[in-house]
Amino acid sequence: MSWDAAKRVSAALGGFGLSFGLCSFGFGVVCRAAFGLRLSPVLVGVKLYFAILVSGLSAMSVVVGDYALDPGLGRVYRGFGVVVEGGVIVDAGEGDVLVGRYPRYERLVVKRGVIVPSFVDSHTHLAMVLLRARAGLLGMGEWFSEVVLPRERLLGPAEVGLGSLVGGVELALSGASGFVDMYFHEESVVEAGRRLGLRGVYTYGMVDNGDPAKAESELRETRRLADLVASLGDRRVRTAVAPHTPYTCFPALLSEAATLARERGLDLHIHLAERADEKRLTAERFGVEVRDWASYLSGLGVLGGGVSPVCFHCTHLSQDEFLALGRGGGFAVLNPTSNLRLGNGAPPIRSVLSSGIGFGLGTDGAASNDDLSMLSEAKLLALLAGVGSGLDVWGVLRALTLPAERFFGVKVGLRMGCTADLAVFRMGLGSNPAADPALGLVFSPGGFKCEYLFVGGKPVVEAGSVVGVDVDSLMDDYERAVYSVEGRLAGVGR
């Protein structure tokens, strides 16, 4: 059965389910009236309707492309397909063989398609799309004080939610099924991510600047977010404890954050060594000496003792610091575009590789990147690594895909038993269908369009559009929001 035909069948099943549900409603009424049975007519009808509807929408699928890439194995497959059932890959191999083996399954065959495990944006601030393209080439201090802070003061839950929805759509269309976010009004980010069907790690960025009362309120907000996430019971939704940076968090807050992470069994996320002067800033603000970051964090309980931090940027860490972080189970996330945009330098890729620490790749926020394209980030990482670094295209693709195992507990790959988090790119103008698709995906990203994205086997992107999102309407809302922010900043409008 073709993909379009399967969708029509699902719609028909939904209509049948509605009719059957109405009949069940009547059945419940009769049972209650004639026999005194305590059956809720509404409950009976609704349960049966949704049972049938869901069974129609969760049919098993065969997905076939001209190529498939498995970064974990470093392999390119030709004419490859996967069979998805219950959110997991249950069979994989030659596409034509699978189509014949599973004739009753939904069938999606993408011409010039490239199947790959979907990407993870390992560090972002989704709502910052509201602040993009507002600055020229500014240093980080100037950028934060002149561009970011004045606008962030004007953002409420509604604006943060809308910005996160826009950012999430962009990520989905770049082939990302998951992201790691840090911001405020994070419950609005959770709502946006769940609406899109993406996986997310949602964190509240704590800042106290040495104020004990502020530290307590920040910890309270982090606990509140953790309680919210736990209450949802949604495996796509995760959280972590997130002190913003060592130079904006008093040492006592870092220690409390580490304790909270241990108590809740959560990761700890922190911006680290993004700028060259962070050791000096930390010493000046809090009266402490920082000889090296690994020792400083270990002394506060942030590294070791059950806490393995995820460290963002890491632009100014030495190889010894990477080694120490890696020994403690730490994880590095590189953000090359943002670092270069703000004059903070290029990530020390060779030190990362030689230390052996696990690492991922992130866009950072659109206020310092202006783009949320994972493939653009991948190309820049590959170019900065350069010849002889030891980072080939497979290493770049692993940085895009394998962090899903750490952040979301899924199994990444195209083999039986792997989670069906998949992106299917179509090669078009700007690509070379006869060339190595792994090289093409990294170095010619403009020639690859994300046509389909599946998260746990469920479609998030279909035929190049995000399911359930009217992009024109979303852009209208986005346009109103950014004009409103700029108007209020200038003292006019709302």
Side-chain angles (χ1 to χ4, degrees):
M1 183 185 295
S2 72
W3 189 254
D4 288 339
K7 287 168 68 177
R8 289 195 295 271
V9 168
S10 291
L13 282 169
F16 171 72
L18 179 58
S19 301
F20 193 75
L22 291 172
C23 291
S24 301
F25 175 87
F27 174 73
V29 171
V30 169
C31 287
R32 188 163 188 155
F35 306 108
L37 296 178
R38 300 183 63 82
L39 296 176
S40 166
V42 172
L43 189 60
V44 170
V46 168
K47 280 188 173 181
L48 284 169
Y49 164 58
F50 277 106
I52 291 173
L53 179 60
V54 169
S55 69
L57 290 177
S58 60
M60 299 151 289
S61 306
V62 181
V63 182
V64 179
D66 288 4
Y67 292 99
L69 310 177
D70 192 329
L73 299 178
R75 293 192 62 179
V76 178
Y77 300 96
R78 187 76 186 261
F80 191 82
V82 295
V83 180
V84 176
E85 186 175 331
V88 177
I89 296 173
V90 297
D91 202 353
E94 189 176 334
D96 290 342
V97 172
L98 295 178
V99 168
R101 188 180 297 163
Y102 300 91
R104 296 183 181 278
Y105 283 31
E106 296 179 9
R107 185 172 68 251
L108 175 63
V109 180
V110 182
K111 185 178 181 181
R112 290 188 294 276
V114 180
I115 303 170
V116 64
S118 53
F119 307 148
V120 174
D121 189 343
S122 293
H123 174 54
T124 191
H125 313 279
L126 283 183
M128 277 188 157
V129 297
L130 297 165
L131 282 61
R132 66 157 36 117
R134 299 304 313 178
L137 295 176
L138 297 177
M140 187 169 177
E142 225 181 342
W143 165 81
F144 184 73
S145 63
E146 295 181 11
V147 176
V148 176
L149 197 56
R151 289 169 175 82
E152 285 191 336
R153 287 172 175 156
L154 300 175
L155 302 182
E159 289 88 356
V160 169
L162 175 62
S164 299
L165 189 61
V166 172
V169 168
E170 290 183 45
L171 277 184
L173 292 174
S174 82
S177 61
F179 58 88
V180 179
D181 193 76
M182 182 192 291
Y183 216 52
F184 51 93
H185 299 310
E186 197 68 15
E187 67 282 356
S188 297
V189 189
V190 172
E191 184 178 345
R194 294 186 78 203
R195 174 181 167 184
L196 294 172
L198 297 174
R199 301 188 192 275
V201 182
Y202 304 88
T203 71
Y204 173 73
M206 294 188 288
V207 173
D208 73 338
N209 288 316
D211 180 348
K214 178 66 171 171
E216 185 50 45
S217 70
E218 298 290 83
L219 288 164
R220 189 163 52 248
E221 181 63 21
T222 296
R223 293 188 189 99
R224 191 184 71 81
L225 177 60
D227 290 341
L228 170 66
V229 168
S231 73
L232 294 174
D234 187 340
R235 288 181 295 179
R236 298 169 304 172
V237 179
R238 303 286 181 99
T239 190
V241 179
H244 191 261
T245 67
Y247 67 89
T248 58
C249 294
F250 195 68
L253 177 55
L254 292 178
S255 292
E256 289 286 343
T259 298
L260 179 58
R262 286 190 200 92
E263 290 174 350
R264 297 285 185 118
L266 299 173
D267 259 344
L268 185 143
H269 295 184
I270 188 167
H271 297 84
L272 185 66
E274 180 177 2
R275 48 194 286 179
D277 58 355
E278 288 187 19
K279 290 177 181 176
R280 177 184 62 79
L281 288 172
T282 304
E284 289 177 354
R285 292 181 180 184
F286 305 132
V288 296
E289 182 182 4
V290 182
R291 284 178 290 183
D292 71 89
W293 284 118
S295 297
Y296 182 71
L297 296 179
S298 296
L300 296 171
V302 175
L303 175 65
V307 178
S308 304
V310 176
C311 303
F312 306 128
H313 297 285
C314 304
T315 315
H316 299 282
L317 292 183
S318 67
Q319 184 171 330
D320 286 344
E321 288 172 313
F322 279 119
L323 282 166
L325 286 172
R327 284 195 297 267
F331 187 82
V333 178
L334 308 182
N335 310 97
T337 301
S338 174
N339 294 341
L340 291 170
R341 177 83 159 81
L342 298 178
N344 289 320
I349 299 167
R350 297 187 184 220
S351 293
V352 172
L353 295 173
S354 59
S355 73
I357 191 171
F359 72 98
L361 190 60
T363 60
D364 204 5
S368 59
N369 183 311
D370 300 293
D371 194 3
L372 293 181
S373 167
M374 294 305 300
L375 288 178
S376 294
E377 210 67 33
K379 180 176 181 177
L380 182 57
L381 181 71
L383 293 174
L384 289 172
V387 176
S389 68
L391 185 70
D392 60 10
V393 290
W394 292 112
V396 173
L397 290 172
R398 282 192 287 272
L400 285 176
T401 57
L402 294 187
E405 296 189 345
R406 177 180 180 117
F407 292 127
F408 304 114
V410 301
K411 186 175 180 182
V412 175
L414 299 179
R415 303 172 302 285
M416 289 176 60
C418 290
T419 306
D421 284 7
L422 305 168
V424 185
F425 289 87
R426 191 188 299 275
M427 292 182 283
L429 289 174
S431 71
N432 181 352
D436 182 338
L439 285 170
L441 196 61
V442 171
F443 288 110
S444 307
F448 291 75
K449 178 186 177 184
C450 182
E451 284 287 313
Y452 295 90
L453 177 70
F454 301 92
V455 182
K458 297 180 180 178
V460 172
V461 175
E462 283 188 331
S465 298
V466 177
V467 176
V469 175
D470 180 338
V471 173
D472 285 339
S473 177
L474 181 62
M475 282 301 299
D476 288 342
D477 293 340
Y478 173 64
E479 184 177 8
R480 281 190 291 270
V482 292
Y483 271 114
S484 173
V485 169
E486 296 306 314
R488 283 179 284 159
L489 191 65
V492 297
R494 251 179 60 202

